[in-house]
Amino acid sequence: MSERPLVCLVDDDESVRESLPDLLREFGFEVRPFSSAKAILVSDCLGRCDCLILDIAMPEMTGPDLQHELKRRGSDIPIVFITARVDKKVRQRVLEQGAVACLYKPFSQADLMGALHAAIPAK
């Protein structure tokens, strides 16, 4: 039996951290939610994470700040950004920095699955 891919979700919005993992589990993923960028940085998940779903606007350390920190550490975890704020400049910047996708909330299940399939190659 193959291991389910691990998706780490980082979002300061509690409702997202409570609802999105259920959907991701239905899609066949293992999920670990985190309330902040700093919380995932001190966790043991980064070495096992197959994809990171990352909110852009968070207090203390933003999603793009975490993306930069992961690059500085040599991490190549695929990132799918999610955001409620439509800012085309930020979206363009995170994509140029290597993000797989940047989805605006509310996004469709199909868009999320498309981004996850682009981020995580079939095993």
Side-chain angles (χ1 to χ4, degrees):
M1 185 172 155
S2 66
E3 197 173 300
R4 296 183 306 158
L6 175 61
V7 174
C8 294
L9 168 66
V10 183
D11 199 311
D12 60 317
D13 184 335
E14 185 175 2
S15 66
V16 172
R17 289 192 319 273
E18 289 178 353
S19 62
L20 195 52
D22 291 337
L23 177 64
L24 293 169
R25 287 182 188 103
E26 285 181 29
F27 288 159
F29 297 102
E30 180 183 346
V31 184
R32 286 283 310 271
F34 296 90
S35 61
S36 71
K38 290 184 179 187
I40 194 169
L41 286 173
V42 299
S43 77
D44 65 349
C45 283
L46 286 176
R48 303 183 300 118
C49 186
D50 294 298
C51 181
L52 189 59
I53 297 178
L54 183 56
D55 189 19
I56 287 181
M58 294 183 290
E60 294 184 37
M61 179 182 254
T62 68
D65 290 342
L66 177 56
Q67 180 186 36
H68 177 75
E69 176 61 19
L70 291 173
K71 282 190 176 294
R72 189 188 70 73
R73 293 181 180 199
S75 174
D76 60 354
I77 300 169
I79 298 173
V80 174
F81 278 100
I82 58 176
T83 184
R85 299 178 185 168
V86 177
D87 185 331
K88 292 182 181 180
K89 289 181 183 179
V90 171
R91 182 180 190 275
Q92 180 180 350
R93 187 173 75 236
V94 298
L95 292 172
E96 287 172 354
Q97 293 297 317
V100 174
C102 182
L103 306 176
Y104 295 119
K105 297 174 187 175
F107 44 82
S108 72
Q109 289 183 16
D111 287 343
L112 179 59
M113 280 307 297
L116 289 170
H117 283 299
I120 304 171
K123 293 186 178 184

